[in-house]
Amino acid sequence: MPFGILESNGKLEHVPGTALLEETGLDETSQLKKGTGNDANVVLIPQPSNDPNDPLNWPLWQRDLLLLLYCFCTLCCVGGVGPLLSVMAFPLIEEFNINFTQVSLLTGYNLCAVGAVGVFVSALARKFGKRPSMLGSMALAFAGTIWAGAAQSYGSLVGARVIQGFGIAMFESVTFAIIGDLYHVHQRGTRMAVYIVSQSGVAHLPSLVAGKISVDLGWRWVFWLLSIFLGLGMLLTIFFGWESAFSRNELYNIDTSSQNNIEIIENLKAGSTHHEKAEEKAIGASAAEIVGTRDSFVKRMRPYSGTYSDDSIIRMILRPFFVLINPVVTWAIFVIAFSQLWIVCISFMIAQLFGQPPYSLGTAEIGYISAGPMIGGLVGCILCGLVSDPLARWFSRHNNGIYEPEFRLILIIAVPIFCAPGYFLFGKLAAEGRSPVIMATLWGITFVSVQIAAVATGSYLVDAFRNISVEVFIISMCFKNFLFFGFSFFLNDWLASWGPVKTFNTIGGIMLAICATTIPVYIYGKRLRAWWHSHSVFSKI
């Protein structure tokens, strides 16, 4: 019972997700590949193959630059496209003669489109790799943004927002799985935090400047300028957004396999053979690994590099819905969705709260309030980046070198510390008409909790269920965006009816209750992982 985590009571020799992270003097790990420098005693999970085209064998600086490229594209798509209109509510209301709810629905329809195409993006990414989907997504986001800038009616703008939604679906889901493609377990927490910075940490940066741009140049120029950055991201993706999917022999995935493959890998690398029939197939596949030169730069630029699964597209479209059978996945989806929902709610409400008495702020000033969540999100992600991996390694080291994915969930202890005062005080002080600086600060404090929840649950899902991580993040994104879409119909009326105090007290109470559900997941998580793998749900679909 390591640190309160109950051991599996089933017959599995090795529960997927549990892995030997730190060498503790055991002879059986002597031949396994390990890290370098300060990570010299860290066993690489998964083990890289002998193919130079395996992303795990790429230089770390190349992988990090690739991640930064996707971070830039994510910031443009998720931050630039998603919440952008919230600060431009008054210019849109004046030009198209609409109300606050209709402004919120411009984002709502966008999010609905994201959720609607999510499962198809997931299927295509698993079947044909991430690069084709990435290129198509950037092209759609770019086209939709140009259309939005040229829209002459409310209906036309809705259509542009839908096309943008088709483009940003990739960046709200599949890109999480790319971290699992590019990095080992001990490297993922920090990189997950870096990615979360772009997806939500500084996602309000475009909104911060959008208000000023719409006042000085007109709201259409917000989209024109965004299209320039999207075009740059598309060009960089064409040249440097290489395929991260790789058909690695399952023998090396010592984190997702239910069999203990360490002894097999050891003997393979030592040059000996095995005679057990159960191992001959794996040994033969490993020995067939090609050791050669890495693909040329031109070849890496090809938009399509083959298929990465033998499953049919129809089966892959259905797979994300079946992960909901897994109670841990369902729990994580609720945590991610509801923690982010309330921040989106504030974005929907911001013009209604601060554009009318007692604040009566202008469009540019409303945009400046977004500095709060931008700074808070950045602080939250930096905090997670500094703590996530070292915390997991500390617990592993004191657990005889054995890593449990549930160690990632310990970070959620910090979520109520930030979200409780943030939400409870936000509603109270907004009703009293307190300084916009104070309100921006409280918005930032609540956003710290969102980053912690996203990094903790995201890292946990990648480590505990890496082989279904694409499906998990896709169904999470679909549920989250349909939830946002539903709330966009009544959110502004809810705030007007209840008032800020009652509204945000309710939100704060819901978040505290959701945080409390982490306790049983932490305790029973390993048993649930064993149950999921033992029943092989996906093999029956």
Side-chain angles (χ1 to χ4, degrees):
M1 187 174 176
F3 296 102
I5 301 172
L6 296 179
E7 292 289 350
S8 169
N9 51 11
K11 298 180 180 180
L12 285 182
E13 180 182 356
H14 169 233
V15 178
T18 299
L20 184 65
L21 182 62
E22 298 247 357
E23 186 179 35
T24 56
L26 299 175
D27 291 337
E28 65 265 27
T29 66
S30 60
Q31 296 295 324
L32 290 180
K33 293 181 181 179
K34 303 178 182 67
T36 58
N38 294 332
D39 298 328
N41 293 326
V42 177
V43 177
L44 298 181
I45 305 168
Q47 286 280 288
S49 67
N50 294 324
D51 192 328
N53 292 303
D54 185 343
L56 294 177
N57 287 325
W58 296 352
L60 184 59
W61 65 269
Q62 286 188 7
R63 287 181 277 160
D64 286 342
L65 286 177
L66 182 59
L67 177 62
L68 288 177
L69 169 59
Y70 291 148
C71 285
F72 173 76
C73 294
T74 300
L75 175 60
C76 292
C77 290
V78 178
V81 173
L84 201 62
L85 296 184
S86 60
V87 300
M88 301 189 296
F90 287 108
L92 293 173
I93 288 173
E94 182 179 347
E95 175 151 350
F96 296 121
N97 192 28
I98 56 179
N99 55 37
F100 284 116
T101 298
Q102 288 174 299
V103 173
S104 295
L105 282 172
L106 286 170
T107 302
Y109 288 122
N110 173 266
L111 298 175
C112 181
V114 174
V117 302
V119 292
F120 301 100
V121 172
S122 165
L124 292 173
R126 285 191 66 89
K127 183 73 173 180
F128 303 109
K130 277 81 170 182
R131 180 169 168 78
S133 297
M134 189 71 70
L135 293 172
S137 296
M138 289 300 296
L140 285 170
F142 179 68
T145 302
I146 293 177
W147 179 1
Q152 298 298 319
S153 67
Y154 179 74
S156 179
L157 187 55
V158 169
R161 296 290 286 172
V162 170
I163 296 300
Q164 286 180 316
F166 293 158
I168 67 177
M170 176 79 178
F171 300 95
E172 289 211 5
S173 52
V174 178
T175 39
F176 282 102
I178 291 177
I179 294 175
D181 292 341
L182 295 176
Y183 298 102
H184 303 285
V185 165
H186 73 283
Q187 300 169 327
R188 291 176 191 160
T190 301
R191 271 73 180 188
M192 182 68 74
V194 170
Y195 181 72
I196 295 293
V197 167
S198 64
Q199 198 205 42
S200 59
V202 293
H204 285 83
L205 177 60
S207 298
L208 179 65
V209 298
K212 180 64 174 174
I213 293 172
S214 64
V215 169
D216 293 347
L217 301 175
W219 66 269
R220 297 181 189 279
W221 268 100
V222 174
F223 290 107
W224 299 136
L225 292 174
L226 177 60
S227 67
I228 294 174
F229 288 98
L230 285 170
L232 175 62
M234 187 165 61
L235 284 176
L236 290 173
T237 302
I238 291 172
F239 287 102
F240 303 107
W242 307 322
E243 181 58 67
S244 65
F246 183 78
S247 298
R248 188 181 303 107
N249 193 303
E250 288 298 321
L251 180 69
Y252 293 99
N253 293 328
I254 58 178
D255 55 336
T256 60
S257 173
S258 64
Q259 301 298 321
N260 192 344
N261 292 328
I262 291 180
E263 181 183 350
I264 304 175
I265 298 174
E266 288 291 313
N267 288 325
L268 284 171
K269 293 180 178 178
S272 59
T273 59
H274 285 247
H275 300 288
E276 291 86 332
K277 291 183 179 179
E279 296 172 353
E280 285 177 354
K281 184 177 180 180
I283 294 171
S286 180
E289 295 283 358
I290 299 174
V291 179
T293 58
R294 188 178 174 187
D295 290 341
S296 67
F297 178 77
V298 173
K299 192 172 182 180
R300 277 176 259 165
M301 287 174 54
R302 64 191 188 275
Y304 170 72
S305 55
T307 59
Y308 294 86
S309 175
D310 295 328
D311 292 336
S312 68
I313 291 292
I314 298 300
R315 184 185 183 194
M316 290 183 172
I317 290 174
L318 295 175
R319 278 169 63 102
F321 297 99
F322 282 87
V323 301
L324 294 174
I325 300 173
N326 187 325
V328 174
V329 170
T330 302
W331 165 83
I333 289 172
F334 272 87
V335 172
I336 294 172
F338 278 93
S339 63
Q340 295 182 9
L341 169 66
W342 310 124
I343 292 298
V344 173
C345 286
I346 296 178
S347 296
F348 286 166
M349 297 172 179
I350 185 172
Q352 186 177 358
L353 279 170
F354 300 108
Q356 302 181 115
Y359 291 100
S360 300
L361 300 181
T363 300
E365 294 168 318
I366 292 174
Y368 297 150
I369 295 178
S370 298
M374 188 194 72
I375 296 173
L378 185 60
V379 169
C381 291
I382 292 174
L383 178 66
C384 291
L386 293 175
V387 173
S388 182
D389 284 338
L391 187 67
R393 289 183 59 182
W394 186 90
F395 277 95
S396 300
R397 191 178 302 117
H398 290 80
N399 188 38
N400 297 320
I402 303 298
Y403 168 75
E404 303 287 359
E406 284 71 28
F407 293 156
R408 299 287 190 186
L409 298 179
I410 296 171
L411 268 180
I412 293 185
I413 293 174
V415 172
I417 296 175
F418 290 96
C419 77
Y423 287 122
F424 292 139
L425 288 177
F426 190 91
K428 180 178 184 299
L429 298 185
E432 296 175 358
R434 295 298 180 91
S435 167
V437 176
I438 295 176
M439 303 309 300
T441 302
L442 289 173
W443 192 4
I445 290 173
T446 60
F447 212 41
V448 172
S449 70
V450 175
Q451 307 316 305
I452 296 173
V455 171
T457 53
S459 300
Y460 172 66
L461 289 172
V462 169
D463 291 349
F465 305 101
R466 184 170 63 85
N467 56 336
I468 60 169
S469 60
V470 172
E471 289 84 359
V472 170
F473 286 116
I474 279 291
I475 200 65
S476 173
M477 179 269 291
C478 292
F479 174 80
K480 177 184 68 176
N481 283 286
F482 281 126
L483 186 67
F484 295 168
F485 177 54
F487 268 72
S488 66
F489 279 96
F490 65 85
L491 191 61
N492 297 100
D493 293 336
W494 178 32
L495 177 63
S497 175
W498 279 28
V501 175
K502 187 177 179 181
T503 298
F504 284 95
N505 282 350
T506 302
I507 291 172
I510 292 173
M511 277 308 302
L512 290 179
I514 289 175
C515 290
T517 62
T518 307
I519 298 173
V521 174
Y522 176 84
I523 295 173
Y524 294 98
K526 188 170 184 177
R527 290 187 176 182
L528 289 169
R529 283 188 281 126
W531 168 83
W532 173 258
H533 192 83
S534 297
H535 287 76
S536 301
V537 175
F538 273 11
S539 65
K540 301 173 184 177
I541 301 174

